[in-house]
């Protein structure tokens, strides 16, 4: 990048980021309280909405007792969890056991500090002071979000380790592997956005989507991020750390009362945070949707951007709920294969294509040449792979070899069979249904049983043919 282009890219970012850090302390406190309240209220709504939507999808009634239409069900759940007995496992590392929920929930709130609710200018007035609708912003705001999200995973890992039990430990290890696998793909999808917006600041990224949202320019990055954000938040169908059928409850098996409530709160706050990041990076952030922004000039000014931003977050939360009510849980090997063999290679190839297109456009090439230079290698690779699949040697089938019968109790406790091993057939008990005695066939005078159906007893017929 030439010095002129670099200076032009840095100057607007410096000018807009200079608006932050000038608020009085009481205004910063009000913004922090508003951010905290926005997250808590959104979580309360999301819990009720999830139970209502899943009940609607499964033809059930759902919560309808607490409050009008059951809208206070999440408050009832919170009171119930607060009044439950708070147990501490005797074999646990008590200090880490108590601190793990805090390590999990605090970074979930911290990540929302750099999310913009409105334009990066003095757009609104609070008690006579003009300010931006954002707590703060950083030149590396997206890296700050990635860092806080990574710290939150440590709370899950420490919870599983400190419980002193096998199933929570396995759930914590799964969370660590899940974070490593899917955060790589998530970071690669961020890199394509950085290339187009020329900034890592959240307010600058939203400002770069004034003409066209990045979901249109970078559809592959958007799809990769959507899959990665579901994996990062441990939500179905990627809720392997909490698999009830395998790990009882996963990392939070030994937790109860408010500690369990904090894990639940952290999960839903993370859902809101990743939905806000998806809206900021790809869906225009606080900008009004296309039909509204064309005929209403004031849609992106004043307090209205909060409405559009909230609607986008709620739509993405509905996507989370829809996935939970629709898709079954993946096996762990399928989950790892999706992350390492699909998402990461696709993100790498897509990032190379985006960087190539941007470099060619900066050099002044027309669009047709850019398409030729960028897509020709991809088409060539696809054709070569097709030819390889068609003409490659078919593997000769191995002759059938009798498999050894696998004894699952050989080690003293039951173990599942490995690939290629076969379980012995399950012994079947005899049926307990009483068998009715069959009537004996009638006997002729000659002592032979009579033919049934009026025919002859000779199987070849009457003529012996």
């Amino acid at each position: 990048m030439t010095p002129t282009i670099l200076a032009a890219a840095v100057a607007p970012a410096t000018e807009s980021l200079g608006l932050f850090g000038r608020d009085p302390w009481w205004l910063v406190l009000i913004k922090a309280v508003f951010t905290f309240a926005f997250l808590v209220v959104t979580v309360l709504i999301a819990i009720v909405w999830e139970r209502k939507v899943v009940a609607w999808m499964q033809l059930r009634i759902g919560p309808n007792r607490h409050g009008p239409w059951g809208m206070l069900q999440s408050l009832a759940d919170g009171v119930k969890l607060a009044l439950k007995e708070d147990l501490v496992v005797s074999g646990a590392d008590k200090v880490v056991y108590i601190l793990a929920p805090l390590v999990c929930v605090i970074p979930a709130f911290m990540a929302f500090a750099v999310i913009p609710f409105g334009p990066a200018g003095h757009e609104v007035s609070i008690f006579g002071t003009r300010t931006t609708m954002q707590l703060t912003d950083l030149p590396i705001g997206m890296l700050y979000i990635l860092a806080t999200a990574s710290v939150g995973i440590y709370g899950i890992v420490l919870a599983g380790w400190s419980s002193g039990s096998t199933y929570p430990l396995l759930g914590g290890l799964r969370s660590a592997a899940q974070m490593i696998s899917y955060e790589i793909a998530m970071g690669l999808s961020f890199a394509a956005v950085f290339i187009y917006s020329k900034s890592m600041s959240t307010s600058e990224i939203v400002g770069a989507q004034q003409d066209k949202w990045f979901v249109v320019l970078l559809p592959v990055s958007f799809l990769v991020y959507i899959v990665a954000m579901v994996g990062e938040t441990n939500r179905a169908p990627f809720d392997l750390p909490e698999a009830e059928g395998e790990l009882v409850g996963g990392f939070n098996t030994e937790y109860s009362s408010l500690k369990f409530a904090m894990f639940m709160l952290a999960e839903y706050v993370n859902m809101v945070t990743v939905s806000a990041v998806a809206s900021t990076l790809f869906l225009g952030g606080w900008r009004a949707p296309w039909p509204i922004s064309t005929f209403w000039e004031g849609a992106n000014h004043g307090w209205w951007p909060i409405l559009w931003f909230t609607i986008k977050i709620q739509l993405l939360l509905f996507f989370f709920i829809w996935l939970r009510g629709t898709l079954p849980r993946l096996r762990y090997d399928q989950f790892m294969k999706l992350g390492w063999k699909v998402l990461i290679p696709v993100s790498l190839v897509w990032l190379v294509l985006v960087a190539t297109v941007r470099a060619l456009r900066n050099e002044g090439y027309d669009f047709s040449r850019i398409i030729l230079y960028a897509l020709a290698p991809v088409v060539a690779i696809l054709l070569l792979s097709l030819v390889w699949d068609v003409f490659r040697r078919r593997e000769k089938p191995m002759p059938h070899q009798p498999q050894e019968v696998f004894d699952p109790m050989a080690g003293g406790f039951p173990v599942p069979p490995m690939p290629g091993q076969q379980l012995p057939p399950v012994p079947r008990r005899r049926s307990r249904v009483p068998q009715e005695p069959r009537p004996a066939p009638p006997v002729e005078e000659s002592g032979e049983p009579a033919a049934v159906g009026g025919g002859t007893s000779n199987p070849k017929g009457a003529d012996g043919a």
Side-chain angles (χ1 to χ4, degrees):
M1 184 180 293
T2 60
T4 305
I5 299 177
L6 181 61
V10 173
T14 305
E15 181 180 354
S16 61
L17 291 179
L19 300 173
F20 296 95
R22 299 183 179 182
D23 295 329
W25 66 269
W26 58 267
L27 189 54
V28 175
L29 183 61
I30 290 176
K31 286 184 177 182
V33 171
F34 170 79
T35 303
F36 179 82
F38 178 83
L39 284 172
V40 172
V41 172
T42 305
V43 166
L44 294 178
I45 295 173
I47 294 174
V48 178
W49 193 19
E50 179 172 14
R51 299 182 65 174
K52 283 283 190 180
V53 171
V54 173
W56 170 67
M57 296 177 72
Q58 298 175 351
L59 299 180
R60 296 187 289 107
I61 297 175
N64 61 350
R65 288 291 184 267
H66 302 287
W69 303 288
M71 297 304 293
L72 299 180
Q73 180 64 46
S74 55
L75 289 177
D77 291 341
V79 173
K80 179 192 72 172
L81 289 173
L83 297 179
K84 276 182 173 291
E85 182 180 3
D86 190 7
L87 301 176
V88 178
V89 185
S90 59
D93 188 332
K94 292 182 174 55
V95 176
V96 182
Y97 180 84
I98 295 173
L99 290 179
L102 298 175
V103 175
C104 193
V105 73
I106 291 176
F109 284 96
M110 291 176 56
F112 220 83
V114 296
I115 300 296
F117 288 87
H122 298 299
E123 290 285 338
V124 296
S125 176
I126 300 178
F127 298 114
T129 303
R130 305 291 295 182
T131 184
T132 60
M133 288 189 290
Q134 185 174 355
L135 180 58
T136 187
D137 198 3
L138 302 170
I140 53 171
M142 292 309 304
L143 296 184
Y144 166 80
I145 293 177
L146 281 175
T148 52
S150 302
V151 172
I153 301 295
Y154 282 97
I156 297 178
V157 177
L158 293 176
W161 174 79
S162 64
S163 297
S165 180
T166 304
Y167 289 131
L169 177 61
L170 292 175
L173 294 178
R174 283 187 176 187
S175 294
Q178 193 163 324
M179 182 269 294
I180 294 172
S181 302
Y182 280 78
E183 198 150 295
I184 297 174
M186 181 183 289
L188 292 174
S189 65
F190 286 176
V193 176
F194 300 157
I195 291 174
Y196 260 83
S197 62
K198 303 177 182 178
S199 176
M200 295 184 185
S201 166
T202 53
S203 58
E204 287 298 315
I205 290 173
V206 177
Q209 302 179 62
Q210 181 176 1
D211 298 328
K212 191 174 294 185
W213 292 358
F214 285 157
V215 67
V216 179
L217 298 176
L218 304 170
V220 177
S221 296
F222 176 70
L223 294 177
V224 170
Y225 177 77
I226 289 294
V227 177
M229 78 177 186
V230 179
E232 282 283 305
T233 52
N234 300 335
R235 291 283 300 184
F238 300 152
D239 55 339
L240 277 306
E242 308 170 19
E244 297 89 353
E246 307 166 24
L247 305 180
V248 184
F251 61 91
N252 53 19
T253 300
E254 306 294 347
Y255 282 88
S256 62
S257 189
L258 287 177
K259 298 185 184 67
F260 180 84
M262 293 178 71
F263 281 119
M264 187 176 179
L265 176 64
E267 177 182 336
Y268 280 90
V269 171
N270 283 324
M271 288 170 56
V272 179
T273 301
V274 296
S275 300
V277 172
S279 175
T280 301
L281 294 182
F282 300 100
L283 302 179
W286 45 262
R287 296 188 179 277
W290 168 71
I292 299 176
S293 59
T294 53
F295 61 85
W296 184 13
E297 295 182 358
N300 293 325
H301 299 282
W303 297 96
W304 289 107
I306 297 181
L307 175 62
W308 317 129
F309 188 68
T310 305
I311 291 175
K312 293 174 184 178
I313 290 178
Q314 294 298 330
L315 290 176
L316 290 170
L317 290 177
F318 175 78
F319 176 75
F320 276 104
I321 300 170
W322 175 57
L323 287 182
R324 177 179 180 179
T326 306
L327 299 179
R329 182 183 293 121
L330 273 69
R331 293 200 318 264
Y332 200 73
D333 59 329
Q334 295 173 335
F335 179 67
M336 289 290 106
K337 181 178 179 181
L338 176 63
W340 288 99
K341 295 186 177 181
V342 178
L343 292 183
I344 293 178
V346 168
S347 300
L348 285 171
V349 174
W350 175 251
L351 181 60
V352 171
L353 288 176
V354 171
T356 303
V357 170
R358 293 300 297 176
L360 292 176
R361 291 191 65 178
N362 290 338
E363 294 295 331
Y365 287 88
D366 58 340
F367 187 73
S368 59
R369 279 193 164 187
I370 292 176
I371 294 296
L372 176 63
Y373 293 155
L375 295 184
V378 177
V379 173
I381 293 174
L382 292 177
L383 289 177
L384 288 175
S385 63
L386 178 62
V387 172
W388 173 257
D389 288 337
V390 172
F391 292 102
R392 68 177 178 176
R393 291 183 179 179
R394 299 293 181 181
E395 295 183 0
K396 296 181 180 180
M398 297 293 294
H400 179 70
Q401 299 178 354
Q403 297 179 346
E404 297 181 1
V405 178
F406 172 70
D407 184 8
M409 299 294 296
F413 53 89
V415 294
M418 299 292 289
Q421 293 178 340
Q422 183 180 5
L423 284 172
V426 180
R428 300 290 183 181
R429 62 175 175 82
R430 297 183 63 182
S431 177
R432 296 180 181 177
V433 179
Q435 300 291 334
E436 297 182 359
R438 297 181 180 178
V443 181
E444 296 181 350
E445 295 180 357
S446 59
E448 297 180 358
V452 180
T456 178
S457 60
N458 189 352
K460 295 184 178 180
D463 55 355

